[in-house]
Amino acid sequence: MKKVLVISLGILMAACSAPKKEGNMLVNGQIKGLKKGKLYLQKIEKDTILKTVDSVNVLGNDQFSLATNISESEMYYLTFDGNTTNKYITFFADKGTITINDDVSKFGLNPEIKGSKNQDILNNYTKIARRFNNRNLELIKLKFLAQKNNNKDSVAIVDKLHESLLRRRYLTTINFAINNKDNHVAPYLALTELVNANVKWLDSINNSLSSDVKNSIYGKKLTKFIAEIKKTETAK
């Protein structure tokens, strides 16, 4: 009995002596079923380098806590075992406490993320984009069947439907970004969802941005991206 008591007190003391996570952004939550491994809080630097800003070992407890200091809202990654299994959770970082809950068996597929305003806005867009993705899959199947049956007329019709779908997706994304011009999500969507769109549409989003967002990491990247497109078009 005394031995059990000593062990229990030792565990309690170790927990109490564990360093408290500090930073203006705390990321905590639960990955159900995660018994052993390591979680990493990461971000992209210099457009290609994935940098770890904090990490935590998980051993018998599927709850976690990570922290870092951020200067502005941008995309961060929660990866498992250094992303060796190509599983990760992306989320829009904001100052404050962000809670992420997920299941290790479906890690990254449909996590619950709370505490980030920009993430909430991005989630709303994702719901819209999912409808376009589903329709696109339907058109791909229809075109495959038409090609299999060597039906050129049907292939042409499906191609027109696909062009119409793409245009509607672009316009929907543009309107969504402009309607959220005061949030960092706006330029992020332009850079990730509209890279092949007409530059005038990108200009429309860029010109609508608030000064704060225009001077953000994604706002600056969008301005640079537009300038590069115009330079290329002028050189032709």
Side-chain angles (χ1 to χ4, degrees):
M1 181 67 182
K2 288 183 179 180
K3 186 176 181 180
V4 174
L5 181 60
V6 170
I7 294 174
S8 299
L9 287 173
I11 294 173
L12 180 60
M13 290 175 66
C16 292
S17 61
K20 183 180 180 181
K21 295 287 184 177
E22 294 183 355
N24 62 11
M25 181 181 73
L26 303 178
V27 182
N28 55 35
Q30 180 182 25
I31 309 298
K32 291 182 179 179
L34 181 58
K35 301 299 182 183
K36 184 179 180 181
K38 194 168 187 178
L39 288 173
Y40 294 81
L41 182 62
Q42 301 176 312
K43 61 176 289 190
I44 295 291
E45 283 198 349
K46 298 179 180 179
D47 294 332
T48 56
I49 301 172
L50 195 60
K51 177 185 177 182
T52 297
V53 296
D54 196 13
S55 62
V56 60
N57 287 306
V58 177
L59 184 60
N61 184 358
D62 55 9
Q63 295 184 348
F64 67 92
S65 181
L66 297 156
T68 189
N69 285 305
I70 65 173
S71 57
E72 61 178 301
S73 298
E74 61 178 301
M75 293 303 296
Y76 270 68
Y77 301 80
L78 183 63
T79 63
F80 175 53
D81 278 348
N83 207 20
T84 55
T85 56
N86 292 319
K87 292 183 178 182
Y88 56 89
I89 295 172
T90 60
F91 66 97
F92 230 113
D94 273 332
K95 294 178 182 178
T97 300
I98 296 177
T99 302
I100 299 177
N101 293 317
D102 204 356
D103 191 300
V104 69
S105 64
K106 300 177 181 178
F107 190 79
L109 294 179
N110 191 29
E112 179 186 72
I113 305 172
K114 296 180 179 180
S116 168
K117 179 182 178 182
N118 279 286
Q119 182 63 42
D120 289 342
I121 296 172
L122 186 59
N123 287 344
N124 290 335
Y125 174 79
T126 301
K127 292 176 183 177
I128 297 171
R130 189 175 294 120
R131 294 199 294 267
F132 284 102
N133 292 338
N134 291 338
R135 178 55 177 162
N136 185 56
L137 289 175
E138 291 175 0
L139 292 177
I140 289 174
K141 292 178 182 178
L142 288 174
K143 184 172 182 177
F144 174 77
L145 291 174
Q147 290 174 329
K148 185 178 180 180
N149 295 324
N150 198 27
N151 192 329
K152 295 181 180 180
D153 290 338
S154 294
V155 170
I157 291 173
V158 173
D159 283 341
K160 288 183 178 180
L161 289 173
H162 185 266
E163 290 175 6
S164 176
L165 179 69
L166 182 60
R167 182 177 177 80
R168 283 191 289 114
R169 177 167 186 157
Y170 278 169
L171 292 175
T172 298
T173 303
I174 293 164
N175 288 330
F176 188 93
I178 291 175
N179 288 335
N180 290 281
K181 59 184 181 295
D182 296 326
N183 297 284
H184 295 73
V185 171
Y188 174 79
L189 288 177
L191 290 165
T192 56
E193 299 291 325
L194 299 169
V195 289
N196 296 316
N198 191 302
V199 69
K200 69 177 182 181
W201 290 349
L202 297 175
D203 254 336
S204 296
I205 295 174
N206 194 39
N207 293 333
S208 73
L209 299 178
S210 65
S211 59
D212 178 58
V213 174
K214 186 168 286 190
N215 289 316
S216 69
I217 181 173
Y218 297 125
K220 291 177 180 177
K221 285 184 178 181
L222 178 58
T223 298
K224 181 181 179 181
F225 182 58
I226 291 172
E228 290 174 349
I229 293 175
K230 289 182 176 179
K231 184 178 180 179
T232 302
E233 291 182 346
T234 302
K236 289 181 180 180

